[in-house]
Coordinates of all heavy atoms in Angstrom, one line a residue:
F240 N -5.4 -145.9 163.1 CA -5.5 -146.2 161.7 C -4.2 -145.8 160.9 O -3.9 -146.3 159.9 CB -6.7 -145.4 161.1 CG -8.0 -146.1 161.4 CD1 -8.8 -145.5 162.4 CD2 -8.4 -147.2 160.7 CE1 -10.0 -146.2 162.7 CE2 -9.6 -147.8 161.0 CZ -10.4 -147.3 162.0
A241 N -3.5 -144.8 161.5 CA -2.2 -144.4 160.9 C -1.2 -145.6 161.0 O -0.5 -146.0 160.0 CB -1.6 -143.2 161.5
V242 N -1.2 -146.2 162.2 CA -0.3 -147.4 162.4 C -0.8 -148.6 161.6 O 0.0 -149.3 161.0 CB -0.2 -147.7 163.9 CG1 0.6 -149.0 164.2 CG2 0.4 -146.6 164.7
G243 N -2.2 -148.7 161.6 CA -2.7 -149.8 160.8 C -2.4 -149.7 159.3 O -2.1 -150.7 158.6
N244 N -2.4 -148.4 158.8 CA -2.0 -148.2 157.4 C -0.5 -148.6 157.2 O -0.2 -149.3 156.2 CB -2.1 -146.7 157.1 CG -1.9 -146.4 155.6 OD1 -2.4 -147.1 154.7 ND2 -1.1 -145.4 155.3
D245 N 0.4 -148.3 158.1 CA 1.8 -148.7 158.0 C 1.9 -150.2 158.0 O 2.7 -150.8 157.3 CB 2.6 -148.1 159.1 CG 2.7 -146.5 158.9 OD1 2.5 -146.1 157.8 OD2 2.9 -145.9 160.0
I246 N 1.1 -150.9 158.9 CA 1.2 -152.3 159.1 C 0.7 -153.0 157.8 O 1.4 -153.9 157.3 CB 0.4 -152.8 160.3 CG1 1.0 -152.3 161.6 CG2 0.2 -154.3 160.3 CD1 0.2 -152.6 162.8
V247 N -0.4 -152.5 157.2 CA -0.9 -153.1 156.0 C 0.1 -152.9 154.9 O 0.3 -153.9 154.1 CB -2.3 -152.5 155.7 CG1 -2.7 -153.0 154.3 CG2 -3.3 -152.9 156.7
L248 N 0.7 -151.8 154.7 CA 1.7 -151.5 153.7 C 2.9 -152.4 153.9 O 3.5 -152.9 152.9 CB 2.1 -150.1 153.7 CG 1.1 -149.1 153.2 CD1 1.6 -147.7 153.3 CD2 0.7 -149.4 151.7
H249 N 3.3 -152.7 155.1 CA 4.4 -153.6 155.4 C 4.1 -155.0 155.0 O 4.9 -155.7 154.4 CB 4.7 -153.5 156.9 CG 6.1 -154.1 157.2 ND1 7.2 -153.4 157.0 CD2 6.4 -155.2 157.8 CE1 8.3 -154.1 157.4 NE2 7.8 -155.3 157.9
V250 N 2.9 -155.4 155.3 CA 2.5 -156.8 154.8 C 2.4 -156.9 153.3 O 2.8 -157.9 152.7 CB 1.1 -157.1 155.5 CG1 0.6 -158.5 154.9 CG2 1.2 -157.2 157.0
L251 N 1.9 -155.8 152.7 CA 1.8 -155.8 151.2 C 3.2 -155.9 150.6 O 3.4 -156.5 149.6 CB 1.1 -154.5 150.7 CG -0.4 -154.6 150.7 CD1 -1.0 -153.2 150.3 CD2 -0.9 -155.7 149.7
R252 N 4.2 -155.2 151.2 CA 5.6 -155.3 150.7 C 6.1 -156.8 150.8 O 6.8 -157.2 150.0 CB 6.5 -154.4 151.5 CG 6.2 -152.9 151.2 CD 7.3 -152.0 151.9 NE 7.0 -150.6 151.7 CZ 6.4 -149.9 152.6 NH1 6.0 -150.4 153.8 NH2 6.1 -148.6 152.4
W253 N 5.7 -157.5 151.9 CA 6.0 -158.9 151.9 C 5.4 -159.7 150.7 O 6.1 -160.4 150.1 CB 5.5 -159.5 153.2 CG 6.2 -159.1 154.4 CD1 7.4 -158.4 154.5 CD2 5.7 -159.3 155.8 NE1 7.7 -158.2 155.9 CE2 6.7 -158.8 156.7 CE3 4.7 -160.0 156.4 CZ2 6.6 -158.8 158.0 CZ3 4.5 -160.0 157.7 CH2 5.5 -159.5 158.6
F254 N 4.1 -159.4 150.5 CA 3.4 -160.1 149.4 C 4.0 -159.7 148.0 O 4.0 -160.6 147.1 CB 1.9 -159.8 149.5 CG 1.2 -160.3 150.7 CD1 0.0 -159.9 151.0 CD2 1.8 -161.3 151.4 CE1 -0.7 -160.4 152.1 CE2 1.2 -161.8 152.6 CZ -0.1 -161.4 152.9
L255 N 4.5 -158.5 147.9 CA 5.0 -158.1 146.6 C 6.2 -158.8 146.2 O 6.6 -158.9 145.1 CB 5.3 -156.6 146.6 CG 4.0 -155.6 146.6 CD1 4.4 -154.2 146.6 CD2 3.2 -155.9 145.3
W256 N 6.9 -159.4 147.2 CA 8.1 -160.2 146.9 C 7.7 -161.5 146.3 O 8.6 -162.3 145.7 CB 9.0 -160.4 148.1 CG 9.8 -159.3 148.5 CD1 9.6 -158.3 149.5 CD2 11.0 -158.9 147.8 NE1 10.6 -157.4 149.4 CE2 11.5 -157.7 148.4 CE3 11.7 -159.4 146.7 CZ2 12.7 -157.1 148.0 CZ3 12.9 -158.8 146.3 CH2 13.3 -157.6 147.0
M257 N 6.4 -161.9 146.3 CA 5.9 -163.0 145.6 C 5.5 -162.7 144.2 O 5.1 -163.6 143.5 CB 4.7 -163.6 146.4 CG 5.0 -164.1 147.8 SD 3.5 -164.8 148.6 CE 3.1 -166.2 147.4
T258 N 5.6 -161.4 143.8 CA 5.2 -161.0 142.5 C 5.9 -161.8 141.4 O 5.3 -162.3 140.4 CB 5.5 -159.5 142.3 OG1 4.8 -158.8 143.2 CG2 5.1 -159.1 140.9
P259 N 7.3 -162.1 141.4 CA 7.9 -162.9 140.4 C 7.3 -164.2 140.2 O 6.9 -164.6 139.1 CB 9.4 -163.0 140.8 CG 9.6 -161.8 141.7 CD 8.3 -161.6 142.4
L260 N 7.1 -165.0 141.3 CA 6.4 -166.3 141.2 C 5.0 -166.2 140.7 O 4.6 -167.0 139.8 CB 6.5 -167.0 142.6 CG 5.8 -168.4 142.6 CD1 6.5 -169.4 141.7 CD2 5.9 -168.9 144.1
G261 N 4.2 -165.3 141.3 CA 2.8 -165.1 140.8 C 2.7 -164.7 139.4 O 1.9 -165.2 138.7
A262 N 3.6 -163.8 139.0 CA 3.5 -163.3 137.6 C 3.9 -164.4 136.6 O 3.2 -164.6 135.6 CB 4.4 -162.1 137.4
C263 N 4.9 -165.2 137.0 CA 5.4 -166.3 136.1 C 4.2 -167.3 136.0 O 3.9 -167.8 134.9 CB 6.6 -166.9 136.7 SG 7.3 -168.3 135.7
S264 N 3.6 -167.7 137.1 CA 2.6 -168.7 137.1 C 1.3 -168.2 136.3 O 0.8 -168.9 135.4 CB 2.2 -169.0 138.5 OG 1.0 -169.8 138.6
L265 N 0.9 -167.0 136.5 CA -0.3 -166.5 135.9 C -0.1 -166.3 134.4 O -0.9 -166.6 133.6 CB -0.7 -165.1 136.5 CG -1.3 -165.2 137.9 CD1 -1.3 -163.8 138.5 CD2 -2.6 -165.9 137.9
I266 N 1.1 -165.8 134.0 CA 1.4 -165.6 132.5 C 1.5 -166.9 131.8 O 0.9 -167.1 130.7 CB 2.6 -164.8 132.4 CG1 2.4 -163.3 132.8 CG2 3.1 -164.8 130.9 CD1 3.6 -162.4 132.8
A267 N 2.2 -167.9 132.5 CA 2.3 -169.2 131.8 C 1.0 -169.9 131.6 O 0.7 -170.4 130.6 CB 3.3 -170.1 132.7
S268 N 0.1 -169.9 132.7 CA -1.2 -170.5 132.6 C -2.1 -169.8 131.6 O -2.8 -170.4 130.8 CB -1.9 -170.6 133.9 OG -2.1 -169.3 134.4
S269 N -2.0 -168.5 131.5 CA -2.8 -167.7 130.5 C -2.4 -168.0 129.1 O -3.2 -168.2 128.2 CB -2.7 -166.2 130.8 OG -3.2 -165.9 132.1

Side-chain angles (χ1 to χ4, degrees):
F240 285 102
V242 175
N244 185 49
D245 294 337
I246 292 173
V247 173
L248 289 178
H249 196 72
V250 174
L251 274 176
R252 291 188 184 98
W253 289 348
F254 293 164
L255 286 178
W256 281 103
M257 295 182 61
T258 301
L260 178 61
C263 181
S264 170
L265 290 169
I266 290 175
S268 60
S269 297

